[in-house]
Amino acid sequence: MATIDYDVLIIGSGASGGMAANTLTRSGVKCLMLDAGPLVDFNRQRQQKQAYELPYHGFGEPGKLPHVVQANEFNAHQWVDEKEVPYTHDPSTPYNWVRVRMIGGKSLFWARMSFRLSDYEFKAKDHDGFGENWPIDHATLAPFYSRVEPIFRVSGRREGLKQLPDGEFEEDTTPWSESMSRFIVQAKKRDIPVTKMRRALGRGQFASSYNLLIPDAVQTGNLTIVANAVVRNLTVDRNTGLVDGVNFVDRHSKREMHAKARVVVVAASCLESTRILLNSKIANSSGALGHYLHDQTYITQGVVAIDKSRNGNQGGGSGGYVPRFVNLKKGNEEDFIRGYAFDFNLAGTPDPKYIPAYGAELEKALNDYRGRAASVTIMGEVLPRYENCVTIDNNLVDAYGIPVLHFQCKYTDNEAKMLKHAMTTFEELCRESNFETLAKHDQPWPPGYSIHELGTCRMGDDPKKSVLNKWNQSHDIKNLFVVDGSSFVTGGYQNPTMTILSLSMRASEYIVDQMKARAI
Amino acid sequence: MKRRNFVRALAVTPAAGSLLAQRPAPAVDEPPKIEISVADAVAESTPRFLNKAQFDALEKLGDLLLPAINGAPGSREVEAPQFLDFLIGRSDAARQMAYTAGLDGLNAQAHRQFNKPFADLDNSKAATLLGSLHQTWTYEEPSDPVARFLRVAKADLRTATLNSREYGAGKRFTGSGLYWYPLD
């Protein structure tokens, strides 16, 4: 069968690939989308079960998915099997690479926390001198955020905070609980803002490219999707130096295939995109490809505290969000740079492990503490450093014969000092709000835990320091675009999905313009 | 007549066709729904990993950490130790060592202080060996292997008990979720 020449070939169907497909096809561009995983029939694929019906009663199969803390025996099959697609790292510096391969990608499972980056991130170097600025600012991306947010139906409350720009929200008018009101009073004394969570409501059970972006693209008649297509590498026309397609492996048969296109958009998620480019041996004249790997450093249950009051959870919502509040003013810096956020709840029930009791005494305490426990997830900015990187491990291939990634990544003193500050601050806020500490710690999960890997194909104005220009376009190959989180210069403390979607929309509209102008 | 030929004959015989037509036909030709049970409902698992002294100590520990309370079955009633014996036997060496060293340590302490294995102590004496569970939680694991094991066992016995079929049978909250089958 003759190969079809598509206008644009998109690798990946998650947030960034879905947005590229949506934007391009609605402009009349013929697209081919390849995804490494299947199209899932969710009604057939999933079933409500009791833990005792599972072989390991909910404990999970020992040794399966050792790097995926989020995995359990119920959802183990939704994650990429580490034996099928392995990766390597030094045992002393673990990296938790959490992956999904199915149409919709990780957008099927994200936490839906929906934030904009501010100019504290876009122009971070101007603020504290570290690293590089983005080649764009918030004003540049704001119109795209404003179009993405309604698609995903982001709920939130407009606060006018410079460090967390407002968006086009479905206004959250729910009241605060009594304990939250108490907490907010104490936070205000320290000039610490507390907001409602900004969260994508989506439609039905999903807030995913699977239901919000891809169906419209399919409706245009301009999108062809091929599932179970594991991309090995991009191919280059020797005469022009441009990319002209991709080699891929059929997931089931292992058959090697080649697909052609005029433009290639890589949207396979940060590290898979980087792996494809590294295995293609292209787009790296800067030497930056694979470097500056960063994410957000996470502590879960950083502080667990019990409300001394017994009516704290009355009156409204007990969950809140504290955006970055440190290092915003020059001359008032901490002993670390950048900042962190709190995602917290004041009306939970503590994990029994934190209660120093057992037997009947433990059960009594659990009943007593039910609905009165504060807990916090601390999310801190990680500095993008050249030495934190991925390279190709030529000694190991995956189940498809594709060389795997080797990780070299670790957090540094800046992150450690930041997390200690965060834990101490939250504990103090709890104490001042009439909570008693049950447990606390300042130890983060290994890098990768947040599933917010970023930065390994970063954008910039200088081709010697960056892989992509400000349009997510390769400096080296003008018909190659990378539109996922790998294009970030800094990640801030904010969950990145809204920014990824906005960048992909913006880059895709640029592609349309460039194709119309016959520039690519 | 072989069945295949018999069926073929029915298909070409008008009278037979009429007879079949008189029977009430099922509304939809759906496969039957057959209820099945789970192994835990009909059988006991055989301890295989822990030796008898270790298993007896784990069973005793379960009595203390998760006794039957307010009509809810405890660790022993739901056979949580038997399940953990299976689970630990399938686990990596570090987890196996945590259990064997911890249970051996508990027995050694019981012998040293009371001249009996842990399983044979009355509850008040056994409780004196579980003091570390009354200490404030710290991120760092205790250096003492018994204290380290007790922390793990407290969580594991609880999960094994609350996720058991017997615990859920009383309409109590038990572990459940949306299970993902392997991807096609």
Side-chain angles (χ1 to χ4, degrees):
Chain A
M1 184 178 173
T3 305
I4 300 168
D5 284 332
Y6 288 91
D7 294 327
V8 177
L9 189 155
I10 302 166
I11 306 171
S13 65
S16 59
M19 180 56 82
N22 183 289
T23 308
L24 291 164
T25 56
R26 290 196 298 112
S27 298
V29 177
K30 291 274 182 196
C31 293
L32 170 64
M33 173 184 274
L34 304 180
D35 195 278
L39 175 64
V40 169
D41 177 343
F42 290 93
N43 291 327
R44 201 167 66 87
Q45 191 70 45
R46 304 178 304 178
Q47 185 185 354
Q48 193 70 28
K49 286 197 179 227
Q50 300 293 325
Y52 59 76
E53 296 179 281
L54 308 182
Y56 298 94
H57 288 198
F59 280 89
E61 183 181 344
K64 192 172 177 70
L65 297 166
H67 292 89
V68 184
V69 179
Q70 295 85 348
N72 57 48
E73 195 169 352
F74 291 94
N75 68 19
H77 294 299
Q78 81 183 36
W79 310 106
V80 168
D81 185 339
E82 295 179 39
K83 289 177 182 151
E84 182 182 325
V85 190
Y87 61 98
T88 60
H89 59 75
D90 187 288
S92 66
T93 53
Y95 192 94
N96 287 5
W97 190 16
V98 182
R99 295 157 287 170
V100 171
R101 286 187 172 184
M102 56 184 85
I103 301 293
K106 289 181 288 190
S107 75
L108 293 165
F109 307 112
W110 65 304
R112 303 191 183 196
M113 291 162 70
S114 300
F115 306 114
R116 295 183 177 202
L117 295 185
S118 75
D119 282 335
Y120 284 107
E121 288 77 42
F122 287 118
K123 300 300 171 191
K125 184 182 181 184
D126 289 349
H127 190 69
D128 58 32
F130 182 88
E132 297 293 332
N133 288 329
W134 288 61
I136 58 175
D137 57 12
H138 177 258
T140 307
L141 206 54
F144 299 92
Y145 279 125
S146 292
R147 288 159 60 195
V148 167
E149 285 152 352
I151 296 172
F152 280 74
R153 297 185 57 224
V154 177
S155 73
R157 191 175 284 181
R158 300 176 70 84
E159 306 277 4
L161 299 167
K162 192 180 171 192
Q163 70 271 37
L164 190 69
D166 291 327
E168 304 301 319
F169 301 143
E170 295 195 12
E171 186 73 8
D172 183 343
T173 57
T174 55
W176 295 112
S177 68
E178 186 278 331
S179 59
M180 276 299 296
S181 301
R182 220 185 310 141
F183 187 93
I184 290 167
V185 168
Q186 296 305 321
K188 209 168 196 173
K189 289 179 185 171
R190 293 167 172 250
D191 211 12
I192 296 175
V194 180
T195 78
K196 288 283 183 181
M197 180 50 72
R198 298 176 178 181
R199 193 182 298 280
L201 301 173
R203 307 255 172 215
Q205 57 180 310
F206 296 108
S208 167
S209 63
Y210 166 79
N211 67 323
L212 300 178
L213 300 173
I214 292 173
D216 285 347
V218 171
Q219 191 72 31
T220 64
N222 290 327
L223 180 63
T224 303
I225 303 172
V226 175
N228 301 307
V230 183
V231 172
R232 175 183 294 283
N233 63 301
L234 276 58
T235 55
V236 176
D237 182 318
R238 287 183 184 176
N239 296 320
T240 63
L242 300 174
V243 288
D244 60 5
V246 306
N247 289 319
F248 68 92
V249 186
D250 178 75
R251 175 170 157 256
H252 292 302
S253 67
K254 308 281 169 64
R255 187 158 61 134
E256 299 275 350
M257 310 287 284
H258 182 260
K260 286 183 175 178
R262 185 172 147 197
V263 171
V264 174
V265 171
V266 186
S269 83
C270 174
L271 293 170
E272 282 294 3
S273 291
T274 304
R275 181 182 173 206
I276 289 168
L277 294 180
L278 287 170
N279 275 325
S280 305
K281 297 182 172 62
I282 58 172
N284 194 21
S285 65
S286 65
L289 181 62
H291 292 271
Y292 304 103
L293 172 60
H294 60 282
D295 59 357
Q296 278 95 34
T297 179
Y298 267 49
I299 293 177
T300 50
Q301 308 274 334
V303 176
V304 179
I306 303 298
D307 190 354
K308 293 179 189 171
S309 159
R310 294 197 169 262
N311 62 348
N313 60 6
Q314 293 174 7
S318 297
Y321 182 75
V322 169
R324 172 177 168 181
F325 55 90
V326 293
N327 296 327
L328 297 179
K329 292 176 188 165
K330 288 186 178 175
N332 191 26
E333 292 89 354
E334 302 292 341
D335 62 349
F336 56 89
I337 61 172
R338 311 291 164 91
Y340 58 83
F342 296 137
D343 171 18
F344 67 104
N345 187 291
L346 300 182
T349 300
D351 187 315
K353 74 179 180 182
Y354 298 122
I355 301 174
Y358 59 85
E361 186 186 3
L362 174 62
E363 298 308 313
K364 183 172 179 293
L366 280 169
N367 283 329
D368 189 31
Y369 295 162
R370 186 160 290 124
R372 294 169 55 205
S375 66
V376 62
T377 297
I378 299 163
M379 301 160 289
E381 177 164 353
V382 173
L383 296 176
R385 297 180 187 275
Y386 179 84
E387 57 271 28
N388 284 339
C389 64
V390 288
T391 53
I392 295 298
D393 185 335
N394 288 310
N395 298 313
L396 187 64
V397 296
D398 66 13
Y400 310 97
I402 302 172
V404 306
L405 284 181
H406 177 73
F407 286 73
Q408 293 171 265
C409 186
K410 60 181 177 184
Y411 295 146
T412 64
D413 274 357
N414 196 70
E415 288 83 30
K417 287 176 181 172
M418 180 189 293
L419 294 175
K420 192 174 186 62
H421 187 277
M423 180 199 73
T424 304
T425 303
F426 194 82
E427 188 194 14
E428 288 170 358
L429 281 169
C430 283
R431 196 165 53 239
E432 289 156 11
S433 306
N434 201 34
F435 283 71
E436 185 175 3
T437 302
L438 199 58
K440 61 178 180 177
H441 74 96
D442 59 7
Q443 296 302 307
W445 291 102
Y449 168 85
S450 63
I451 326 183
H452 295 165
E453 53 272 16
L454 304 165
T456 46
C457 303
R458 71 177 186 177
M459 56 164 62
D461 288 328
D462 186 348
K464 291 178 182 167
K465 292 181 177 176
S466 53
V467 179
L468 308 171
N469 67 17
K470 65 182 177 182
W471 299 106
N472 292 71
Q473 181 180 30
S474 164
H475 283 300
D476 298 349
I477 303 173
K478 67 180 182 181
N479 69 337
L480 170 63
F481 292 78
V482 185
V483 297
D484 54 35
S486 62
S487 64
F488 279 40
V489 181
T490 57
Y493 61 91
Q494 301 98 321
N495 302 49
T497 305
M498 284 294 118
T499 304
I500 291 170
L501 287 160
S502 302
L503 287 171
S504 180
M505 178 188 273
R506 179 174 177 270
S508 299
E509 292 187 353
Y510 176 77
I511 291 170
V512 173
D513 291 343
Q514 293 294 295
M515 291 183 91
K516 281 180 183 165
R518 305 299 296 176
I520 54 175
Chain B
M1 186 186 291
K2 287 187 176 178
R3 177 174 166 75
R4 188 173 49 201
N5 293 336
F6 174 72
V7 171
R8 195 178 294 152
L10 282 179
V12 296
T13 308
S18 305
L19 283 171
L20 286 174
Q22 289 167 19
R23 290 183 193 162
V28 183
D29 188 17
E30 286 184 347
K33 287 181 179 166
I34 300 171
E35 280 198 19
I36 59 168
S37 188
V38 293
D40 294 85
V42 300
E44 292 179 349
S45 63
T46 313
R48 294 203 180 276
F49 174 68
L50 301 172
N51 64 34
K52 184 170 185 326
Q54 291 165 342
F55 182 83
D56 289 348
L58 183 62
E59 211 164 35
K60 175 72 177 179
L61 186 61
D63 292 342
L64 292 160
L65 299 191
L66 225 89
I69 297 175
N70 298 332
S75 164
R76 184 182 291 265
E77 288 74 27
V78 307
E79 299 186 346
Q82 283 88 339
F83 180 79
L84 289 178
D85 175 81
F86 151 74
L87 182 74
I88 303 309
R90 293 290 182 89
S91 299
D92 61 24
R95 197 175 189 186
Q96 291 181 344
M97 178 62 85
Y99 266 75
T100 53
L103 290 164
D104 289 344
L106 263 185
N107 275 327
Q109 287 180 8
H111 274 290
R112 208 161 38 243
Q113 292 189 33
F114 305 109
N115 211 25
K116 285 180 179 177
F118 183 73
D120 291 350
L121 300 180
D122 63 43
N123 284 358
S124 61
K125 284 180 178 165
T128 63
L129 304 181
L130 308 184
S132 65
L133 291 177
H134 278 116
Q135 290 171 1
T136 302
W137 181 89
T138 57
Y139 182 83
E140 294 75 25
E141 290 186 333
S143 55
D144 171 50
V146 173
R148 198 159 58 237
F149 161 69
L150 288 175
R151 187 194 269 206
V152 173
K154 176 181 167 182
D156 285 354
L157 283 163
R158 185 175 187 83
T159 302
T161 301
L162 269 58
N163 282 359
S164 69
R165 181 176 170 278
E166 293 82 354
Y167 195 89
K171 305 289 182 197
R172 285 171 286 271
F173 174 78
T174 187
S176 65
L178 206 50
Y179 175 75
W180 276 77
Y181 290 100
L183 295 182
D184 290 337

